[in-house]
Amino acid sequence: MERIDITVKEPPKKEKNWKNSIKDFLFYLVQWTWGLPVNLVGGIAFLICTKIKGYRWQRFGYSKIVYVPWKGGGLSMGLFIFVKAQHSNKTWTYNCRIHEYGHTWQCLILGPLYYLVIALPSVIWCNCFAGYRKKNNVPYSAAYCESWADLWGQKFSGLTQAPDFNHRSLAKIKEAAKTEES
């Protein structure tokens, strides 16, 4: 299995050329038109958290991650991701950034439907089924919206989640496929 460096803070930089410039332009155009309702809420929260509250933030691919001092985990609102600051588990933080970035890409595709198709089921799965998941040893990624976010976060960030109980990393999927072929 490949070695995963959880100290990586952001996806690898893309080469600067006209094709990537067009892709960047189209990504933001779609996010700020089709995904406007989600990004507007996220943008306002981003400004409050960074300009008024002074919370630390960083770029992560196309998105911006804000580190907030809350008890929760991660929350993605389009281009804006909010993650628990100073989580005691560095692997969790690394995986969470990639996972939430996957939600950013879901917003690109789903636009205003994101709230109904992804956000609502995700909030319910996170907050109402924690006891069920713990009691039955069910990973967080068992919900369609979460496994999809894991896969797309890894695909579009170019980073692989570190294996842990909560996230089905691409490394695990590739390893399972190799086992099935044998």
Side-chain angles (χ1 to χ4, degrees):
M1 182 181 280
E2 67 182 277
R3 178 160 158 45
I4 297 169
D5 181 4
I6 65 167
T7 63
V8 173
K9 300 286 187 216
E10 63 181 294
K13 300 280 186 217
K14 294 184 299 185
E15 179 184 334
K16 291 194 179 212
N17 59 39
W18 67 273
K19 283 184 181 178
N20 284 338
S21 295
I22 290 171
K23 286 179 187 176
D24 294 351
F25 173 77
L26 290 173
F27 180 89
Y28 289 115
L29 177 68
V30 172
Q31 281 284 16
W32 285 108
T33 54
W34 174 239
L36 182 64
V38 179
N39 283 294
L40 196 56
V41 173
I44 291 168
F46 174 81
L47 290 173
I48 291 169
C49 288
T50 58
K51 301 298 181 196
I52 296 172
K53 300 280 190 180
Y55 297 150
R56 176 175 70 88
W57 69 277
Q58 74 174 92
R59 292 185 189 282
F60 190 89
Y62 288 111
S63 65
K64 293 176 176 23
I65 298 178
V66 181
Y67 295 91
V68 291
W70 61 11
K71 292 181 182 188
L75 173 68
S76 179
M77 289 189 271
L79 296 166
F80 306 96
I81 297 170
F82 303 86
V83 174
K84 180 178 182 173
Q86 299 175 350
H87 194 284
S88 60
N89 184 329
K90 301 295 183 209
T91 300
W92 180 91
T93 301
Y94 172 83
N95 284 347
C96 185
R97 286 192 304 250
I98 296 168
H99 171 84
E100 294 301 330
Y101 191 58
H103 286 309
T104 295
W105 284 86
Q106 290 171 327
C107 178
L108 177 78
I109 300 301
L110 297 169
L113 301 174
Y114 175 82
Y115 287 124
L116 184 62
V117 176
I118 301 297
L120 184 59
S122 182
V123 167
I124 292 169
W125 180 246
C126 179
N127 296 301
C128 300
F129 288 91
Y132 168 82
R133 289 192 314 271
K134 187 173 183 175
K135 178 182 174 189
N136 295 293
N137 207 27
V138 175
Y140 189 71
S141 61
Y144 76 93
C145 51
E146 307 306 344
S147 60
W148 181 11
D150 283 346
L151 292 173
W152 276 24
Q154 291 173 92
K155 176 181 171 119
F156 293 112
S157 72
L159 300 172
T160 301
Q161 288 177 308
D164 72 1
F165 174 70
N166 289 314
H167 295 88
R168 187 165 184 224
S169 73
L170 283 178
K172 283 183 181 178
I173 292 166
K174 289 175 186 173
E175 190 174 289
K178 285 180 185 176
T179 305
E180 287 176 14
E181 288 175 2
S182 302

